[in-house]
Amino acid sequence: MPVIEVSNLKKAFKDDLVVKGLDFNLEQGKCIALLGPNGAGKTTTLRMLSGLLKPTEGSIQFKGTTKGEDIRNYIGYLPQYPVFHTWMSGKEFLVYVGQLAHLSKKDAADKADQLLKKVAIYESRNQRIGKYSGGMKQRLGIAQAMIHSPQLLMLDEPVSSLDPIGRREVLTLMEELKKQTTILFSTHILGDAEEISDDLLLMHQGEIVEAGSIEALRQKHQSAKFELAFHGSTSPYLEKLKQFPSVLEIMLVKGEIHVVVDDIDLARKEILTEAIKSDWPIVKFELSRTTLEDLFMKVVKN
Amino acid sequence: MQWFTIFKKEILEDWRNFKWIWVPLVFIVICIMDPLSTYYLPQIIDAVGGMPEGAVFEVPAVQPEQAIMMSLAELSMFGVLVIVAISMAVIAGGREKVV
């Protein structure tokens, strides 16, 4: 059962088409990552879904709402750079936001306590937000988005601006939250998406390039590749490797050559024969599988 | 009722910024400056000097109603300016903080 159905969603700023027609459904109870490089249109998409931007074309349909209905009761949104009133304490802020979301003062206070415990800043609830660390602010931001128990939680780059410790804290928290609600979050880091999300929407230049569950995508894009390293400069071998018929693609990764091939046995034979004939100073010859990382890099570079 | 929630937040913010203290102070200062300086004008001129020898400079004593009119005139100038500045800060802050 989809929580939200998006069809042919487009957004243009003046003549610049930033989001070029998205079609996707988000399933209830899943954690979906919107992955893409900077400028792919992730934030624009999230802002349209949250109602902050009006789509140029296309429709967004939330489950259980009619067209034009106020969707703010159904969604929670954490912007990329949340700004808080630094003079407020964490608890005051949550109660304030809760009241803005039509909760009574008492309900808001109860919910605030509950969420503060969940995001593990209960001890600092009476401290001014100005004194919070980046990770604490981000977790407060998530609590703020959850205050009215929304069906869909949208987080725009929740971990991108955090240090490793803060990232870990927020990822653990999201792992916890995805048991209760549907989460859609954007990121440009594949590792984060792989770690906590069930489904992946890979965006590039305003289009969805790949979509599906992480497992399915991994299967689909798994092809064999050889990783080669040479003593000294690698550049002379690039050209030669390209000429083999079994070689599909060549990537240069950290001084190593990654050769994607269609036929492992044939490719191995070809490469090694050539290596012996021309006396290549090979220091590493390893068979591996392409990963989502390779897919991501391929999409980003094209 | 949500405007009331926001209104309460603004009041609380002003309290934490000590706006409830310094804004009245500024207004008091604006109000008393003009009558006070008129009242002490002879002394001020004496202290600064610059009046020729023997010149008589009569300043009538400030009447209560005159003092009030002076204060109101100042308020309509600087008081309005202060209010405009405060409103600008509130709106700019609200735009930046979103909620």
Side-chain angles (χ1 to χ4, degrees):
Chain A
M1 179 96 145
V3 191
I4 180 170
E5 289 173 36
V6 175
S7 62
N8 193 32
L9 188 67
K10 285 183 188 166
K11 180 72 195 175
F13 293 112
K14 298 229 174 87
D15 293 331
D16 197 9
L17 200 56
V18 183
V19 176
K20 304 169 184 167
L22 304 182
D23 288 282
F24 61 86
N25 295 339
L26 300 184
E27 295 295 322
Q28 186 145 31
K30 289 268 175 78
C31 177
I32 303 108
L34 191 59
L35 180 69
N38 289 330
K42 304 185 295 284
T43 298
T44 312
T45 307
L46 283 180
R47 285 172 65 93
M48 279 192 285
L49 293 183
S50 58
L52 291 170
L53 274 180
K54 203 172 163 342
T56 313
E57 213 179 289
S59 76
I60 302 165
Q61 182 63 45
F62 279 87
K63 191 190 78 181
T65 64
T66 50
K67 240 189 166 59
E69 196 185 327
D70 191 353
I71 53 163
R72 284 178 295 181
N73 286 333
Y74 301 92
I75 56 165
Y77 177 66
L78 171 69
Q80 190 164 5
Y81 306 108
V83 195
F84 303 106
H85 297 284
T86 45
W87 54 269
M88 274 181 163
S89 74
K91 167 133 193 216
E92 276 174 336
F93 181 73
L94 285 185
V95 174
Y96 167 59
V97 175
Q99 283 181 289
L100 285 183
H102 298 282
L103 295 179
S104 73
K105 191 167 187 179
K106 192 179 169 303
D107 287 350
D110 290 347
K111 192 75 205 254
D113 276 337
Q114 200 184 321
L115 281 168
L116 284 163
K117 278 177 193 150
K118 185 171 282 168
V119 301
I121 43 177
Y122 190 69
E123 286 73 35
S124 321
R125 66 189 181 283
N126 292 326
Q127 242 181 49
R128 286 174 54 234
I129 298 177
K131 290 185 176 163
Y132 281 20
S133 71
M136 287 163 80
K137 276 188 193 155
Q138 205 73 3
R139 280 179 285 156
L140 180 66
I142 294 177
Q144 162 271 127
M146 298 274 297
I147 191 87
H148 55 304
S149 324
Q151 284 181 16
L152 176 63
L153 186 61
M154 289 190 247
L155 311 171
D156 196 357
E157 305 264 357
V159 294
S160 301
S161 60
L162 299 178
D163 65 5
I165 301 165
R167 270 193 57 221
R168 180 61 28 223
E169 291 168 351
V170 172
L171 287 176
T172 318
L173 172 64
M174 285 169 67
E175 192 87 47
E176 189 64 35
L177 290 178
K178 77 181 199 187
K179 290 171 195 156
Q180 299 158 24
T181 177
T182 314
I183 304 180
L184 173 66
F185 74 101
S186 75
T187 177
H188 56 252
I189 299 155
L190 176 72
D192 298 338
E194 270 186 300
E195 191 170 330
I196 50 173
S197 65
D198 308 306
D199 288 357
L200 199 66
L201 292 170
L202 182 53
M203 268 187 95
H204 185 53
Q205 293 183 344
E207 284 168 294
I208 290 185
V209 209
E210 276 293 350
S213 75
I214 296 253
E215 255 330 290
L217 285 180
R218 219 178 252 149
Q219 293 285 336
K220 187 176 160 194
H221 291 280
Q222 201 171 55
S223 54
K225 68 170 181 182
F226 286 109
E227 294 178 19
L228 281 91
F230 295 93
H231 192 71
S233 163
T234 50
S235 45
Y237 311 108
L238 279 171
E239 280 308 311
K240 282 184 189 158
L241 285 167
K242 266 184 198 155
Q243 284 157 15
F244 294 129
S246 55
V247 171
L248 297 176
E249 206 188 338
I250 290 181
M251 292 171 285
L252 198 58
V253 184
K254 291 183 212 137
E256 292 184 357
I257 302 179
H258 289 196
V259 189
V260 183
V261 298
D262 53 357
D263 186 335
I264 299 173
D265 295 323
L266 181 64
R268 178 165 43 213
K269 203 168 142 196
E270 280 175 354
I271 296 173
L272 287 179
T273 314
E274 177 64 28
I276 292 166
K277 207 167 81 190
S278 318
D279 198 15
W280 287 359
I282 292 181
V283 294
K284 179 182 169 189
F285 186 83
E286 190 181 313
L287 175 66
S288 70
R289 301 260 161 203
T290 54
T291 56
L292 285 178
E293 176 92 34
D294 295 321
L295 168 69
F296 184 55
M297 291 314 285
K298 197 167 98 189
V299 165
V300 171
K301 278 180 183 159
N302 287 348
Chain B
M1 280 312 279
Q2 276 156 329
W3 73 266
F4 191 62
T5 308
I6 295 175
F7 181 70
K8 270 199 307 201
K9 186 217 75 185
E10 287 298 332
I11 301 292
L12 185 65
E13 176 168 16
D14 294 345
W15 187 246
R16 301 252 167 108
N17 288 340
F18 304 109
K19 244 185 215 170
W20 287 115
I21 296 171
W22 69 257
V23 173
L25 270 179
V26 166
F27 272 80
I28 289 170
V29 169
I30 289 173
C31 288
I32 62 173
M33 272 314 271
D34 202 10
L36 219 56
S37 58
T38 314
Y39 182 79
Y40 285 111
L41 197 58
Q43 280 97 320
I44 294 169
I45 289 169
D46 266 355
V48 177
M51 288 296 279
E53 199 69 29
V56 183
F57 188 68
E58 197 72 34
V59 180
V62 185
Q63 298 303 308
E65 62 269 23
Q66 278 175 315
I68 286 174
M69 285 320 288
M70 282 168 149
S71 294
L72 285 181
E74 291 296 302
L75 276 184
S76 67
M77 267 273 281
F78 296 104
V80 167
L81 210 66
V82 169
I83 288 173
V84 166
I86 291 172
S87 318
M88 273 163 64
V90 167
I91 292 168
R95 265 183 65 90
E96 188 193 336
K97 298 288 161 52
V98 185
V99 281

